[in-house]
């Protein structure tokens, strides 16, 4: 069935506070939202932030989407767009819109069988030691916190978070800021501080230094792995992979990645590049298979789509009808 509606627009989600990682600060999250529809009145939606460290911006994503408009309007399917667009934000937004449209056409819900609640990490961006402690205290009821760090004083940072949230499990995410030697020096004291996961601690391209070494804290590859084709390079170096729909180019490829990773004995995490509940909802289908979930984008923003996911103290407790993927009740 050909699409009679194809819309792609850019928008910015304002952040609650300046969000800083080792790559720098951000005050808003730019996204692209896609809507496709058919003659029967069914409409599917998707949202993507893109991958900024791959050079993606709303402008580049909109240009890619415009380039495949004619093919979609002539009847291209979700399976076709894998060959029309590269992995990245544009394909993610369109792929998720197709999933939504297909569910509506079939009269079913993609999310109805998910077991709720789902625990998600809450991310604390880079800040002063005093602010790390204060922020951690504010969310001390959350069971899983993800702490962004750089190469400066990471142990002092974790101690500050520990003072604020002594009972939380911690994920530490340097976003490639550490050397392999620094990682090996830090891992034992971090394990003593109840850090349960290290997410992409070292720079992409230096991972050969991990060969033959076993970390007492599981290591999760993030920037190193985008699509299924990257999975084999992780084996023997990292314990887990962080699947993000924006990196993979959509839910379709993300599910393929999950299959491939598990076939290689790798454990799974699902993450996000921020964004609204419209971007988080498709990733819940991956989250159902994951040991760690990091889908806190709406919690970091001033506003969300309506209706949006319901979060309570780090748990996703409700998926409303009308968000994405057909009806949930």
């Amino acid at each position: 069935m050909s699409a009679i509606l194809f819309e792609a627009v850019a928008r910015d989600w304002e952040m609650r506070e300046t969000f800083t990682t080792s790559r720098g600060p951000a005050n808003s999250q730019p996204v692209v939202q896609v809507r496709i529809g058919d003659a029967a009145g069914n409409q599917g939606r998707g949202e993507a932030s893109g991958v900024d460290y791959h050079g993606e911006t709303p402008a580049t994503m909109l240009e890619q989407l415009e380039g495949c408009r004619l093919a979609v309007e002539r009847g291209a399917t979700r399976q076709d767009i894998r060959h029309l667009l590269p992995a990245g934000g544009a394909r993610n937004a369109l792929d998720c819109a197709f999933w939504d449209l297909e569910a509506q056409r079939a009269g079913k819900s993609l999310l109805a069988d998910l077991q709720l609640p789902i625990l998600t990490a809450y991310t604390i961006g880079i800040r002063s030691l005093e602010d790390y402690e204060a922020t951690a205290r504010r969310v001390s009821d959350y069971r899983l916190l993800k702490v962004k760090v750089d190469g400066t004083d990471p142990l002092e940072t974790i101690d500050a978070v520990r003072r604020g949230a002594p009972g939380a499990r911690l994920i530490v995410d340097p976003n490639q800021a550490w050397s392999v030697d620094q990682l090996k020096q830090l891992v034992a004291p971090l394990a003593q501080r109840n850090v349960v996961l290290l997410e992409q601690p070292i720079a992409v391209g230096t991972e050969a230094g991990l060969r033959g070494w076993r970390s007492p804290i599981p290591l999760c590859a993030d920037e190193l792995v985008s699509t299924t084709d990257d999975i084999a390079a992780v084996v023997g170096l990292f314990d887990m992979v962080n699947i993000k729909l924006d990196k993979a180019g959509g839910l379709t490829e993300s599910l393929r990645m999950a299959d491939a990773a598990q076939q290689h004995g790798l454990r799974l995490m699902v993450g996000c590049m921020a964004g609204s509940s419209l971007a988080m909802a498709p990733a819940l289908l991956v989250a159902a298979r994951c040991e760690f979930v990091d889908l806190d984008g709406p919690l970091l923003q001033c506003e969300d789509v309506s209706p949006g996911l319901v979060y309570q103290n780090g748990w996703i407790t409700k998926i409303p009808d009308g968000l994405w993927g057909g009806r949930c009740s």
Side-chain angles (χ1 to χ4, degrees):
M1 184 182 295
S2 298
I4 62 169
L5 171 68
F6 185 123
E7 293 181 353
V9 298
R11 71 161 297 167
D12 268 1
W13 294 111
E14 182 183 356
M15 307 301 284
R16 291 185 181 274
E17 61 179 10
T18 300
F19 186 75
T20 303
T21 73
S22 62
R23 291 195 293 268
N27 292 304
S28 66
Q29 179 58 57
V31 300
V32 166
Q33 294 179 338
V34 169
R35 189 159 59 110
I36 55 176
D38 60 27
N42 300 300
Q43 292 189 10
R45 298 186 303 154
E47 178 184 291
S49 299
V51 186
D52 56 353
Y53 54 84
H54 289 168
E56 292 196 312
T57 67
T60 65
M61 290 186 284
L62 289 174
E63 182 179 7
Q64 288 180 338
L65 288 164
E66 188 61 33
C68 69
R69 171 186 294 276
L70 186 58
V72 173
E73 291 177 341
R74 288 179 173 175
T77 66
R78 175 166 57 87
Q79 289 71 29
D80 295 327
I81 64 171
R82 186 169 183 268
H83 307 289
L84 295 173
L85 290 167
R91 195 174 79 192
N92 176 29
L94 185 54
D95 180 78
C96 291
F98 266 114
W99 277 89
D100 191 16
L101 181 63
E102 291 166 10
Q104 293 180 37
R105 286 173 173 169
K108 66 179 183 180
S109 168
L110 298 175
L111 303 176
D113 293 333
L114 289 181
Q115 297 296 309
L116 299 178
I118 294 172
L119 178 66
T120 178
Y122 178 84
T123 306
I124 301 175
I126 294 174
R127 59 199 64 214
S128 69
L129 293 179
E130 294 78 7
D131 284 347
Y132 272 118
E133 181 176 348
T135 302
R137 183 170 292 110
R138 176 173 58 82
V139 294
S140 59
D141 289 340
Y142 289 43
R143 287 177 49 182
L144 182 63
L145 299 178
K146 176 170 159 176
V147 185
K148 295 283 190 178
V149 300
D150 54 22
T152 306
D153 299 328
L155 295 180
E156 289 85 350
T157 294
I158 299 307
D159 286 340
V161 172
R162 271 278 159 256
R163 290 192 294 271
R169 300 164 73 216
L170 302 182
I171 301 170
V172 172
D173 185 4
N175 287 113
Q176 307 185 71
W178 299 350
S179 68
V180 172
D181 287 342
Q182 188 176 15
L183 165 64
K184 293 178 179 180
Q185 292 168 4
L186 288 171
V187 69
L190 287 172
Q192 294 171 356
R193 288 161 170 81
N194 195 25
V195 172
V196 297
L197 186 66
L198 288 169
E199 185 179 344
Q200 194 65 55
I202 61 172
V204 171
T206 65
E207 57 273 359
L210 301 177
R211 194 168 303 281
W213 177 71
R214 185 71 177 177
S215 171
I217 302 174
L219 302 181
C220 182
D222 182 3
E223 288 92 340
L224 178 62
V225 55
S226 294
T227 70
T228 304
D229 292 341
D230 303 320
I231 294 294
V234 176
V235 177
L237 303 176
F238 289 80
D239 305 283
M240 306 182 67
V241 293
N242 187 352
I243 298 172
K244 295 179 179 176
L245 272 63
D246 275 302
K247 293 189 302 179
L251 176 59
T252 302
E253 177 65 12
S254 294
L255 294 172
R256 293 179 69 244
M257 285 183 68
D259 289 339
Q262 290 183 316
Q263 288 167 7
H264 281 88
L266 294 165
R267 296 148 63 188
L268 300 181
M269 176 181 185
V270 64
C272 65
M273 306 296 291
S276 75
S277 289
L278 180 57
M280 304 300 111
L284 292 175
L285 290 173
V286 183
R289 302 174 57 176
C290 292
E291 185 175 344
F292 290 96
V293 174
D294 179 24
L295 298 177
D296 61 347
L299 298 178
L300 307 177
Q301 300 176 177
C302 294
E303 58 179 327
D304 193 9
V305 294
S306 181
L309 296 171
V310 177
Y311 292 82
Q312 294 181 355
N313 290 345
W315 294 90
I316 300 171
T317 59
K318 183 178 180 181
I319 305 168
D321 290 340
L323 172 57
W324 180 88
R327 297 191 62 82
C328 296
S329 63

